[in-house]
Amino acid sequence: PCGSTVALPRNLCPGVMFEFDELEAALPPEAYVVHGAGSPEANGLYVDIQIEAFGAPIFRHTVMSDLLLARERAGERHGWLIGANRRPLYGVRTEETKCSKS
């Protein structure tokens, strides 16, 4: 439904106005919504692709399939990155194996 891999309630389909908090509440825990990114192409729904890196799932953008949200290592530290074609766009350093919702 709604042209995505995640079944969303009808009132949360693309093209319909909604609140992001409502959308996040409707998503399964294996998906993230990114909004407010400086690069609009990074905004959107990222779903678990059933592959892990550094002890955490990797998430793929449902429209821009080259965009990934994944836990990466930098030296001896870790963090979460959004990137495309091995080029980081956004990141945050953290040792958490779950991506922050904020």
Side-chain angles (χ1 to χ4, degrees), residues 15-92:
V16 176
M17 295 300 293
F18 57 86
E19 293 292 325
F20 282 103
D21 292 339
E22 292 174 19
L23 180 57
E24 281 188 327
L27 294 174
E30 61 273 348
Y32 286 92
V33 172
V34 173
H35 60 94
S39 298
E41 67 271 8
N43 293 329
L45 178 64
Y46 291 76
V47 294
D48 187 344
I49 60 171
Q50 306 298 309
I51 297 173
E52 286 195 3
F54 304 104
I58 296 174
F59 300 86
R60 182 180 309 276
H61 194 284
T62 58
V63 176
M64 307 286 288
S65 63
D66 61 331
L67 284 171
L68 298 176
L69 169 63
R71 187 169 188 245
E72 298 288 344
R73 183 173 55 209
E76 296 300 314
R77 298 174 71 186
H78 292 88
W80 283 90
L81 289 176
I82 294 177
N85 302 316
R86 305 186 62 74
R87 180 179 56 101
L89 297 172
Y90 299 96
V92 61

